[in-house]
Amino acid sequence: MSEKFREGIPAWTREHAESLRRDDSNVAPVIYPPDERLDDDLHIWDTWFLRNRDGSVAEIDGYRVVFSLTSSSDLLPGKRHDVATIRYFYSRDGEEWTTGGVVFDGGALGQRQWAGSAMYDPDGDGGDVYLYYTAAGEDGAEELTYTQRIAVATGGTVRTDDAGFSIEGSWDHRIILTPDGDWYEREDQSRGMIYTFRDPWFFEDPASGETYLLFEANTPVPEGAGECDDPVWEEFNGSVGIAHSPTGDPTDFELRPPLLDAVCVNQELERPHLVVRDGTYHLFVSSHVHTFAPGLTGYDALYGFVADDLAGDYEPLNGHGMVLTNPKGAPFQAYSWLVYDHGDDLLVSSFFNYFDYDRPSLDDVGLLPPEEQQRRFGGTLAPTVRVALDGDETDVLGTLGHGHLPLPRETLPTPWWERDGDATR
Ligand code: FRU
């Protein structure tokens, strides 16, 4: 690998991250448990919409659809990642969701499936739905392993009638991307925490019409590379990866250099995705307090970056990157944020994570008695947060209900500060 392996890659730097602070513009209101969870039998976490090829939310005969990582709610929440299964849910109004069921009929790759994205293309060769996911763990291994590969499943067909919506089909699964070891770290190169190569996000660039897949990755930093002032920081090497489809075939991608990296800063830039507005590219990721390098104070939060084109010179929003975080007294109440455009504002969905837990890390949550672990885990969708975007600055405006996901054509409920005639909030 050349010494210039990071040349030209936009960086989220320590200098940016040193000014991370909670303030009125980025803290979400405290979340309380909803009257009803999405599904009492399930823990539900990372969630994504079924979208059209151009990124708009698909609406099929009046139904919108989300996919989520799920497990049985009998399981201790900390164990859920080991058995994650993708299920789908559908809704006519974006408020009441019906559980559709498990998506795959048994042939999914990996020991379990982690996050991804879903594209609806009834005119494509792959059935109606292209479901991108992370094949986590080695197929056939007896022990749980942490290998991550990017997979696509094709062949699912959708059906609707008055009774509801369903996805059926005999899916065809294939691995479409693995890390190359130069731009993207392989498992055997990892020097610190477990490497990442996951969370594929389908994206068609409106400027060129070209087809891409974004994903979470790490930049390989060889020992002695001298990338950071302190060699320990070199283990914190998160990146936003991208692959391009030369033909537009949504199952055939080639790796390209990362869009952004956070070497010396943060190890996990999770679930990267883009919102393009008026030709400006807003790149969002989720990250954790514990994945920041020593000497930096970060938060479990949604972070964002802005550039003039897809492979542009991404700069952090708000100077430091933080867009939305949890309150000080409930620092882990939500995670895995996804942003979509809604008229003047952005809407941000996430899942309701650990509440009633105001410790600085989640390290000891597993030491609580099992019933306390269960009680404090939300395991359903969090209230959707409405965020204003003005140039490179953002401002949290308020929240909608748990799991309320309106389409752009649907008007949002009037915020309380306008309802009671009070202009201040
Ligand atoms: C974020 C995440 C994703 C991954 C999933 C596994 O919540 O870490 O990156 O796909 O959880 O459960």
Side-chain angles (χ1 to χ4, degrees), residues 193-417:
M193 282 179 234
I194 164 200
Y195 83 129
T196 71
F197 192 79
R198 60 181 187 243
D199 301 354
W201 177 264
F202 182 86
F203 176 70
E204 197 176 72
D205 185 359
S208 62
E210 295 288 308
T211 301
Y212 295 92
L213 210 57
L214 268 61
F215 52 89
E216 171 186 3
N218 295 103
T219 296
V221 182
E223 217 144 356
E227 277 299 299
C228 312
D229 291 345
D230 183 335
V232 171
W233 300 344
E234 290 174 355
E235 297 171 14
F236 297 82
N237 57 345
S239 76
V240 173
I242 189 166
H244 174 237
S245 167
T247 59
D249 176 347
T251 64
D252 182 21
F253 290 93
E254 292 174 359
L255 293 174
R256 306 298 308 144
L259 289 186
L260 174 80
D261 75 29
V263 174
C264 324
V265 176
N266 192 309
Q267 207 257 352
E268 289 190 346
L269 306 186
E270 308 221 84
R271 303 195 67 200
H273 58 286
L274 283 159
V275 173
V276 184
R277 229 194 222 192
D278 303 329
T280 302
Y281 292 67
H282 303 87
L283 173 64
F284 295 99
V285 298
S286 291
S287 198
H288 289 292
V289 54
H290 71 265
T291 55
F292 279 89
L296 294 171
T297 305
Y299 305 86
D300 271 39
L302 171 74
Y303 298 89
F305 305 83
V306 58
D308 291 336
D309 53 79
L310 175 61
D313 196 9
Y314 286 93
E315 285 289 331
L317 288 167
N318 307 310
H320 43 62
M322 192 152 78
V323 171
L324 176 63
T325 188
N326 297 321
K328 188 158 182 269
F332 304 106
Q333 70 171 12
Y335 192 67
S336 216
W337 292 269
L338 269 195
V339 184
Y340 66 104
D341 217 336
H342 189 286
D344 290 340
D345 298 324
L346 302 173
L347 292 181
V348 188
S349 75
S350 64
F351 76 94
F352 189 21
N353 197 10
Y354 287 97
F355 60 97
D356 264 3
Y357 201 75
D358 61 359
R359 301 177 60 92
S361 99
L362 277 178
D363 282 352
D364 46 6
V365 76
L367 301 178
L368 290 171
E371 59 278 13
E372 267 304 287
Q373 295 180 45
Q374 292 285 31
R375 185 187 70 78
R376 294 173 195 239
F377 184 65
T380 189
L381 293 180
T384 301
V385 181
R386 186 172 171 186
V387 173
L389 170 68
D390 184 9
D392 56 7
E393 301 207 339
T394 60
D395 191 17
V396 171
L397 296 176
T399 53
L400 316 180
H402 281 263
H404 182 188
L405 299 177
L407 296 175
R409 63 171 171 75
E410 292 164 342
T411 41
L412 301 182
T414 315
W416 61 265
W417 65 88

Side-chain angles (χ1 to χ4, degrees), residues 74-86:
D74 293 339
L75 210 67
L76 279 182
K79 292 268 175 247
R80 70 187 195 279
H81 304 282
D82 302 348
V83 298
T85 303
I86 301 173

Side-chain angles (χ1 to χ4, degrees), residues 153-175:
T154 53
T157 46
V158 304
R159 263 199 208 184
T160 58
D161 58 31
D162 288 346
F165 172 95
S166 64
I167 303 182
E168 289 155 20
S170 70
W171 295 89
D172 174 35
H173 297 264
R174 66 192 109 155
I175 299 294

